[in-house]
Amino acid sequence: MMNILITFDLWLRKVLAFFCALMLLLMVMFTVYTVIMRYVFENPPVWGDLLTVLSNIWLVFIALTLIVRDKDHIALTLIYSRLPKTLGFALQQFWTLVICGLGVVILVYGMDVVSTMSGKYWEMWHFTWENGALEFKPNYMPKRYAMIILPLSGALIILASTVTFLEDTIRFKKGTYQHPGDEQLSE
């Protein structure tokens, strides 16, 4: 059972890292395309800037999940490594619970935003499920589609912080716990 969970954890991290890389690539591609169309051909797409911003927002929210799971918040790592192991562990666990609480807030209010968000992006086309098939809609993507990142990232932050909290607690009880960043300091 434990091997399945570890495999799932590694798989999910890889998928999220790939998604972040994809969002970064798309952000660069949208920006380059928009700039070339604007300054070379003097005919910029109406959707270029919006897709760049949305790619950036999705990248940041998903990357936050990876940072929580990998305990890579630089400022906190520096603090933990300077404290005695027990105090550093307690402080780290406290912040992991705070981050989990932040995930709950993002999830709950994100679901509220998605369910009540009105308005549409006039410059965006989209697909919708109608009459048992996927249909292309030439304009007016609902804004709530872009906001789905909120409850999604909130759920992922809760999952990441819970797994991190439990994993560190088990390691601390076994005596194998190390502060985040200890590996880098010893290399």
Side-chain angles (χ1 to χ4, degrees):
M1 180 66 175
M2 189 58 119
N3 287 339
I4 293 171
L5 293 175
I6 291 170
T7 303
F8 177 74
D9 182 52
L10 291 173
W11 175 83
L12 185 58
R13 285 189 207 186
K14 287 180 182 180
V15 167
L16 294 177
F18 174 79
F19 183 81
C20 287
L22 178 64
M23 288 297 106
L24 183 60
L25 176 66
L26 289 174
M27 192 169 56
V28 170
M29 288 173 48
F30 294 142
T31 302
V32 168
Y33 179 76
T34 302
V35 167
I36 290 171
M37 291 302 291
R38 179 175 293 135
Y39 294 108
V40 175
F41 298 103
E42 296 180 358
N43 186 20
V46 294
W47 46 262
D49 293 332
L50 176 65
L51 285 181
T52 300
V53 169
L54 291 178
S55 299
N56 187 341
I57 292 168
W58 279 61
L59 166 69
V60 167
F61 273 99
I62 296 300
L64 175 61
T65 300
L66 289 171
I67 287 170
V68 168
R69 180 63 186 105
D70 293 337
K71 299 177 278 190
D72 281 340
H73 17 77
I74 296 166
L76 296 177
T77 300
L78 180 65
I79 293 170
Y80 303 147
S81 64
R82 305 281 186 234
L83 295 173
K85 190 163 282 221
T86 303
L87 183 58
F89 171 76
L91 186 61
Q92 177 191 322
Q93 294 297 73
F94 170 74
W95 279 114
T96 301
L97 290 175
V98 168
I99 291 168
C100 186
L102 173 67
V104 170
V105 169
I106 293 172
L107 174 67
V108 169
Y109 285 100
M111 288 173 43
D112 185 50
V113 165
V114 169
S115 66
T116 60
M117 173 71 63
S118 61
K120 297 182 179 193
Y121 293 112
W122 63 269
E123 65 269 53
M124 294 297 297
W125 43 267
H126 70 287
F127 293 94
T128 184
W129 188 264
E130 290 182 4
N131 303 323
L134 199 58
E135 292 188 20
F136 176 73
K137 298 292 183 180
N139 267 334
Y140 307 115
M141 180 183 83
K143 288 185 177 181
R144 71 174 166 268
Y145 287 9
M147 295 295 132
I148 290 173
I149 189 60
L150 293 172
L152 176 64
S153 66
L156 288 171
I157 289 168
I158 293 167
L159 178 65
S161 57
T162 302
V163 169
T164 300
F165 183 87
L166 294 173
E167 189 177 76
D168 286 343
T169 301
I170 291 168
R171 285 183 181 150
F172 189 78
K173 286 182 179 180
K174 286 183 178 179
T176 60
Y177 170 78
Q178 287 187 322
H179 290 304
D182 280 354
E183 304 86 34
Q184 289 87 4
L185 293 174
S186 63
E187 292 176 356

